[in-house]
Amino acid sequence: MKSLLTYLMLISALVASSQDGSFNLGGRSSGMAGASLTIGDEYSLFNNIGGLGRVENHAAFAAYQNRYGVKEFQVIGAGAIYNHAFGNAGVGFYKFGDDIFSQQRLHLAIGNKIQMVSLALGVDLLQYHVSTVGSHQVLAIQFGGIAEISPQMRFGAHIFNLNQAELSSETGERVPTVMKGGFSYLPSDELIISVEVEKDLEFDEVFKVGLEYQIIDHVFVRTGISTQPFIGAFGVGFHPKDLKFDYAFSNDSRLGNIHELSIAYAIKK
């Protein structure tokens, strides 16, 4: 009974923070408390598809999150990007939960970079599963972009669920529509400072601040904070040649600790 009560409390807290409208993934993003809106790398496929057009090679990647020390709340995700002269295409898979309750996402996106602006459009097949009820699938559309205002300044924006997909015709409940906007400042080649705001139409704004610093060749340290709830994060990365290894630790003030490991491999043409 105690484990069931804990499980239900965690589910309620996650729903209250609009967990099903945010699919951020990757140790780099998590180490910056999710302040990765203007970063164009492999995990843009999950964090802001607007960065998809900035990826310069074919790539494959995968990530694992251990949330709050509860195995039923683990997250796994993986994807691949195909790089082409006319634009990039990406496919990704994301799963949260277990056999009792889970969210799964199959994601397809296309993006391109034109001069200093990169834009992308994506379609998501979302599946919500509750063991006592069954499964339900919906389609959601997302759009994002990153603009390089100057060599030191970038602006990013992203909206998830443009079409306001409906979960239940009986209750009128819809998939959360989440909008994000923010800037990053790059005072040097080694340092990135990011500030952004995230807004679910049904909840208060979430503010995020993140920092990444390259301390030596191939080695990065990161930190960040976000609100609603308060989350403090720290991360490290090791990027030798075509491989990227990233780890992040964060603490949710309500629920506990989150560990994340991610890997990415760039496939040169």
Side-chain angles (χ1 to χ4, degrees):
M1 177 64 71
K2 183 178 179 181
S3 61
L4 177 59
L5 179 60
T6 301
Y7 187 93
L8 292 174
M9 290 175 65
L10 285 168
I11 286 286
S12 299
L14 288 171
V15 171
S17 62
S18 189
Q19 167 63 32
D20 54 351
S22 180
F23 297 92
N24 276 32
L25 199 65
R28 185 181 188 187
S29 174
S30 296
M32 299 172 69
S36 57
L37 190 64
T38 62
I39 294 176
D41 64 8
E42 299 83 4
Y43 287 92
S44 296
L45 195 63
F46 292 96
N47 305 324
N48 175 13
I49 58 172
L52 182 61
R54 304 179 71 90
V55 179
E56 298 179 349
N57 298 287
H58 308 315
F61 50 95
Y64 169 77
Q65 289 182 3
N66 181 326
R67 296 187 176 185
Y68 324 122
V70 180
K71 66 178 182 179
E72 291 84 2
F73 280 57
Q74 66 183 357
V75 173
I76 57 172
I81 294 174
Y82 177 76
N83 176 264
H84 192 275
F86 294 105
N88 293 344
V91 58
F93 174 77
Y94 178 106
K95 181 182 178 183
F96 163 79
D98 62 357
D99 294 336
I100 298 175
F101 172 81
S102 67
Q103 297 167 299
Q104 298 185 58
R105 173 193 186 197
L106 179 63
H107 174 48
L108 300 173
I110 55 173
N112 197 9
K113 180 182 177 183
I114 303 174
Q115 294 184 347
M116 312 310 290
V117 177
S118 58
L119 300 171
L121 180 69
V123 177
D124 296 68
L125 175 62
L126 305 173
Q127 175 175 283
Y128 297 82
H129 172 77
V130 180
S131 60
T132 57
V133 178
S135 299
H136 182 65
Q137 297 83 28
V138 295
L139 287 175
I141 298 172
Q142 60 173 305
F143 179 77
I146 297 175
E148 190 172 322
I149 300 172
S150 73
Q152 290 79 37
M153 185 71 69
R154 295 175 186 167
F155 170 76
H158 177 255
I159 180 168
F160 176 79
N161 191 28
L162 267 170
N163 55 320
Q164 295 192 307
E166 192 173 69
L167 285 172
S168 171
S169 58
E170 296 179 356
T171 64
E173 183 180 2
R174 298 181 183 275
V175 174
T177 297
V178 179
M179 300 175 289
K180 297 186 287 186
F183 291 88
S184 63
Y185 174 57
L186 293 76
S188 69
D189 292 338
E190 295 80 20
L191 179 63
I192 301 175
I193 303 170
S194 296
V195 179
E196 63 185 69
V197 59
E198 176 180 309
K199 172 62 177 173
D200 184 315
L201 295 184
E202 302 295 329
F203 296 93
D204 293 336
E205 297 85 356
V206 176
F207 296 94
K208 305 176 184 180
V209 179
L211 179 150
E212 176 183 81
Y213 181 66
Q214 181 178 344
I215 54 175
I216 58 175
D217 287 348
H218 313 303
V219 179
F220 301 81
V221 293
R222 307 175 182 107
T223 190
I225 59 172
S226 67
T227 64
Q228 304 293 342
F230 180 83
I231 294 176
F234 171 80
V236 294
F238 178 51
H239 297 181
K241 295 185 179 180
D242 301 328
L243 277 171
K244 296 179 181 179
F245 299 97
D246 293 292
Y247 167 77
F249 169 83
S250 57
N251 178 265
D252 184 316
S253 60
R254 299 175 308 171
L255 299 176
N257 299 332
I258 303 172
H259 299 269
E260 180 169 355
L261 287 170
S262 63
I263 184 172
Y265 177 61
I267 306 169
K268 296 293 180 65
K269 296 181 180 180

